Amino acid sequence: EVQLVESGGGLVQAGGSLRLSCAASGFTQDVYDIGWFRQAPGKEREGVSCITRTDGSTYYIDSVKGRFTITSDNAKSTVYLQMNSLKPEDTAVYYCGAALGYGSRCGEPGTYDYWGQGTQVTVSS
């Protein structure tokens, strides 16, 4: 059974940091891309940061560049999102998603095949 399990969310004050983890298991084929997405109340899900497993290429939405860093530990089948200098507008449920093909686009959540249950990140001002 394919599973993506997120952890690391919580409540933090503006300017603080959190590290999210996404543990993947049950895949019978190699994952092409894993990304972090977020959805705030009343908003559509948006791609935050993604990493391509084949070459390690990373992508970030403009609003988090310089603050967030995505990394992958292939030995543990885990992807991390280090979030620094958090802002109230970062508040959302954060999901990890996995894509099996080459057609994925981080800015298009519909191109990802599997999803975790999400972890809440709340940033107070």
Side-chain angles (χ1 to χ4, degrees):
E1 179 183 354
V2 172
Q3 287 193 330
L4 297 171
V5 181
E6 304 97 332
S7 62
L11 174 64
V12 64
Q13 292 190 100
S17 298
L18 288 171
R19 189 181 73 160
L20 306 183
S21 299
C22 174
S25 64
F27 288 94
T28 59
Q29 65 185 95
D30 290 340
V31 175
Y32 170 71
D33 188 275
I34 295 181
W36 285 98
F37 304 78
R38 66 188 181 189
Q39 188 164 17
K43 302 290 183 64
E44 294 185 339
R45 187 172 298 188
E46 66 175 348
V48 177
S49 180
C50 299
I51 184 167
T52 302
R53 300 286 296 277
T54 54
D55 61 8
S57 298
T58 58
Y59 308 86
Y60 298 92
I61 192 171
D62 285 346
S63 63
V64 308
K65 288 181 178 178
R67 300 189 297 120
F68 292 9
T69 303
I70 189 170
T71 57
S72 177
D73 184 340
N74 291 333
K76 294 184 176 181
S77 298
T78 301
V79 173
Y80 305 92
L81 185 67
Q82 179 67 47
M83 305 187 294
N84 298 325
S85 301
L86 283 162
K87 303 175 180 180
E89 51 262 46
D90 295 317
T91 295
V93 177
Y94 282 70
Y95 301 87
C96 61
L100 303 181
Y102 292 97
S104 64
R105 300 288 186 271
C106 196
E108 300 179 21
T111 65
Y112 283 69
D113 302 298
Y114 297 97
W115 296 94
Q117 293 299 117
T119 185
Q120 177 71 49
V121 171
T122 302
V123 184
S124 62
S125 59

